[in-house]
Amino acid sequence: MRVVVSTHLDDAVFSCYALLGPGTVVVTVLAGVPPEGVLGDWDEAGGAASSHRRVLERRAEDERALALPGATPVHLDFPDSQYWPELGEPSAAAVSDALRTYLDGEVYAPAGIGNPDHILVRDAVLAVRPDAVLYADLPYALRHGFGRYGRDIWLDDDAAARKIAAASCYATQLEQLAADFGDFLAPAAVRRERVFPGR
């Protein structure tokens, strides 16, 4: 079995599409649905009036995106960091405990490039599976670099087109991410992925 741990509801598709397919389970950690009345700053900037409804939208987007390569989504109930001021920050130990059930077989986790949420998830995975393979976090690696000593995976034309189709399912996120990172779904940008051995 292959397990890809994703920090947010889009990271696995953006970062390691080459690893996704039938038999792959994608476990998204910060996928908790906040209660009504919560509105995170990222959600508000993206035009949402309710983070409760926005996360339900994002979970549905993730299901549609992962259905394209045939991967299976699992959504954990930890809140995204934009909700931590109201809902509290999960500890790495709590995340590790929640992930322990899923971390069998071949495990992949975010390298933690350019985003503290990804570092939290990386450390939680490595506490349980120090042999996990890490993957470069996209689109952050386009800005901060892909790191050293990894192995590049280059998607061919067909795979890049399939990745773009899957990534396009995350419609609630694309405009804001493009404002930050430019055209990160251009064919030249999506082709390169990178994996690293764990510690």
Side-chain angles (χ1 to χ4, degrees):
M1 184 175 73
R2 172 180 292 168
V3 177
V4 173
V5 181
S6 181
T7 304
H8 303 105
L9 291 157
D10 56 23
D11 290 318
V13 168
F14 291 164
S15 301
C16 53
Y17 186 81
L19 301 175
L20 307 182
T24 301
V25 176
V26 177
V27 182
T28 303
V29 174
L30 302 184
V33 180
E36 291 283 9
V38 172
L39 182 58
D41 54 359
W42 176 263
D43 292 343
E44 185 175 23
S50 162
S51 289
H52 178 85
R53 291 192 294 275
R54 175 51 53 90
V55 175
L56 292 175
E57 287 180 272
R58 294 190 65 187
R59 283 185 172 211
E61 289 174 346
D62 193 52
E63 290 169 358
R64 289 194 296 273
L66 294 176
L68 294 178
T72 301
V74 172
H75 298 151
L76 301 187
D77 289 323
F78 295 103
D80 188 358
S81 61
Q82 63 178 310
Y83 315 129
W84 291 353
E86 292 183 75
L87 303 181
E89 178 178 352
S91 68
V95 175
S96 293
D97 286 345
L99 285 170
R100 199 175 302 274
T101 301
Y102 301 101
L103 300 184
D104 291 327
E106 190 180 338
V107 175
Y108 293 82
I113 297 170
N115 188 305
D117 296 9
H118 294 220
I119 293 171
L120 167 70
V121 171
R122 177 200 66 197
D123 291 348
V125 172
L126 292 177
V128 179
R129 287 292 303 269
D131 62 332
V133 176
L134 305 181
Y135 59 82
D137 313 72
L138 290 166
Y140 303 98
L142 298 174
R143 174 177 295 160
H144 298 284
F146 280 75
R148 301 174 62 190
Y149 309 119
R151 176 175 65 86
D152 283 336
I153 300 170
W154 292 95
L155 304 183
D156 63 19
D157 289 349
D158 288 344
R162 291 194 299 272
K163 177 176 178 177
I164 292 168
S168 297
C169 292
Y170 299 105
T172 62
Q173 306 302 299
L174 296 180
E175 185 175 343
Q176 285 168 279
L177 289 170
D180 282 352
F181 295 97
D183 190 4
F184 69 100
L185 294 183
V190 301
R191 290 180 190 279
R192 184 186 184 188
E193 300 176 351
R194 176 171 278 203
V195 294
F196 314 85
R199 66 184 180 211

